[in-house]
């Protein structure tokens, strides 16, 4: 994935089970367009290592989850070890800028 791309994970839950799941890689400009049409709330930031681990476990969960999926998805989200989003005028050297947050 290029740095100007965003990975968008969409889950639809019905009656405690995953009804549909969609994973898209979109350009940063397409993501900006979506942000203007829909309300996105940043959950936090994570490391590339945690994101890769999340992707592997997400794939397994999607294939196996038939009941009580909402709690399993919540545990999967916790596995990301999210850090709080910090809004600053400039980014630290280790951070990447997302325009107009």
């Amino acid at each position: 994935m290029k740095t100007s791309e965003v990975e968008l994970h969409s889950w639809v839950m019905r009656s405690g089970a995953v009804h549909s799941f969609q994973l898209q890689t979109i350009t940063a400009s397409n993501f900006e367009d979506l942000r203007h049409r829909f309300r996105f709330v940043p959950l936090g930031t994570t490391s590339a290592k945690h994101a890769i681990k999340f992707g592997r476990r997400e794939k397994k969960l999607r294939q196996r989850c038939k009941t009580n999926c909402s709690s399993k998805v919540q545990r999967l989200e916790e596995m990301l070890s999210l850090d709080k989003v910090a809004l600053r005028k400039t980014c630290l050297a280790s951070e990447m800028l997302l325009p107009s947050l």
Side-chain angles (χ1 to χ4, degrees):
M1 186 168 71
K2 298 175 186 173
T3 57
S4 61
E5 293 179 335
V6 175
E7 219 175 62
L8 185 61
H9 300 249
S10 303
W11 293 74
V12 175
M13 306 287 288
R14 287 196 184 144
S15 303
V18 175
H19 176 70
S20 69
F21 171 82
Q22 197 173 31
L23 173 63
Q24 298 174 305
T25 302
I26 60 176
T27 65
S29 62
N30 285 348
F31 181 70
E32 282 299 312
D33 293 341
L34 284 174
R35 284 187 58 224
H36 292 296
R37 287 192 294 164
F38 302 101
R39 183 165 185 233
F40 288 93
V41 177
L43 297 177
T45 63
T46 192
S47 67
K49 175 182 146 185
H50 283 111
I52 291 167
K53 190 175 181 181
F54 173 85
R56 285 195 309 261
R57 290 193 178 172
E58 179 185 46
K59 186 176 180 180
K60 287 180 186 176
L61 180 68
R62 194 172 18 128
Q63 294 168 349
R64 297 180 185 162
C65 192
K66 304 295 180 218
T67 61
N68 198 23
C69 295
S70 56
S71 64
K72 293 175 185 176
V73 169
Q74 187 175 13
R75 282 196 309 270
L76 180 67
E77 184 180 300
E78 290 168 1
M79 191 266 331
L80 279 171
S81 299
L82 295 174
D83 295 322
K84 202 171 194 178
V85 175
L87 299 176
R88 298 189 281 274
K89 290 185 180 192
T90 60
C91 292
L92 300 176
S94 61
E95 297 174 335
M96 188 174 81
L97 173 66
L98 290 177
S100 67
L101 262 182

